[in-house]
Amino acid sequence: MTVKLKVLVVGLGNMGMSHALACTRIADFDVTGVCERYIARRELPEALQRVRTSSATSCVIIPPGSSSSRSPGNWELPSSSA
């Protein structure tokens, strides 16, 4: 079984949206969230409607191999996420 790479897209301008949608079409990627300053105004395409969202300007990213008690390679959104 292949392990999917979790993807968090920060910023959904032209390039961010393009990359987010491209990642949804790659079998080895799992887009788990998107973060944009004005996410409430953004109408997400169908491929991104089930991912976690945040309007925070920063997301906590825990790099693989970190000494965090959380699973390496995970990310968190502030509690205000939808």
Side-chain angles (χ1 to χ4, degrees):
M1 181 171 116
T2 303
V3 176
K4 289 189 173 193
L5 296 175
K6 293 182 180 182
V7 177
L8 164 65
V9 179
V10 179
L12 291 175
N14 292 330
M15 292 298 289
M17 183 65 76
S18 172
H19 286 105
L21 291 173
C23 288
T24 66
R25 294 187 298 267
I26 298 173
D28 292 338
F29 288 1
D30 180 21
V31 178
T32 57
V34 294
C35 182
E36 181 182 59
R37 185 177 300 165
Y38 304 109
I39 194 71
R41 299 181 198 169
R42 176 71 66 179
E43 187 172 326
L44 293 175
E46 186 176 340
L48 296 175
Q49 291 196 1
R50 294 189 185 120
V51 302
R52 292 173 58 191
T53 61
S54 176
S55 61
T57 56
S58 64
C59 298
V60 177
I61 301 173
I62 303 166
S66 71
S67 60
S68 170
S69 61
R70 299 177 189 100
S71 298
N74 287 337
W75 62 274
E76 295 179 352
L77 292 173
S79 59
S80 64
S81 68

